[in-house]
Amino acid sequence: VQLQASGGGLVQAGGSLRLSCAASGIGFSYHAMGWFRQAPGKEREFVAAISRGGDSTYYTDSVKGRFTISRDNAKNTVYLQMNSLKPEDTAVYYCTADRRYSDYGDHKYYGDSAIDYWGEGTLVTVSS
């Protein structure tokens, strides 16, 4: 299984970035997809998740209204559009896949082991 994230970089506060994650080695349309992030010195946290068909999404409170997760099952790719970026959004962002959408809600109880597959991260730095 490969989850290859891209699109990270340096952006000024208030700017936008779009992260992409290309998946291979899994039945993409049979997996929910999600994004997590880890800021320096902090624990990894959930950011957003999207159901298999893309009809359901949910977000952590701190990014609601600013971030949008979407997917293209024909391209085996999930996206995270990030607008109105803040310095506190600075983190390494990780793409994930899971056979059960509900596991993204379980992450706060069970940690990273709740999620089936993790990709390498991409660094997002937001300057003030």
Side-chain angles (χ1 to χ4, degrees):
V1 175
Q2 264 201 318
L3 301 173
Q4 185 64 52
S6 60
L10 174 64
V11 63
Q12 286 190 328
S16 298
L17 280 176
R18 189 175 83 153
L19 305 183
S20 300
C21 174
S24 60
I26 60 171
F28 185 76
S29 61
Y30 293 101
H31 287 74
M33 302 295 293
W35 291 91
F36 288 78
R37 67 186 180 186
Q38 187 166 22
K42 294 188 176 181
E43 292 187 352
R44 188 145 55 183
E45 65 170 350
F46 168 78
V47 177
I50 187 167
S51 61
R52 297 172 182 179
D55 56 312
S56 179
T57 58
Y58 80 101
Y59 302 88
T60 191
D61 286 347
S62 62
V63 308
K64 283 179 182 176
R66 301 188 298 121
F67 290 12
T68 303
I69 188 171
S70 61
R71 66 189 294 161
D72 186 337
N73 284 356
K75 295 183 178 179
N76 287 4
T77 302
V78 63
Y79 305 97
L80 186 68
Q81 178 66 43
M82 305 185 294
N83 298 329
S84 302
L85 282 160
K86 305 175 181 180
E88 51 263 42
D89 294 318
T90 295
V92 176
Y93 284 71
Y94 296 90
C95 174
T96 63
D98 199 286
R99 287 159 290 181
R100 298 193 311 175
Y101 184 48
S102 60
D103 283 350
Y104 286 99
D106 289 342
H107 179 267
K108 58 181 176 287
Y109 304 116
Y110 303 114
D112 290 355
S113 62
I115 305 302
D116 291 339
Y117 303 110
W118 293 82
E120 298 296 322
T122 185
L123 177 63
V124 172
T125 304
V126 184
S127 64
S128 56

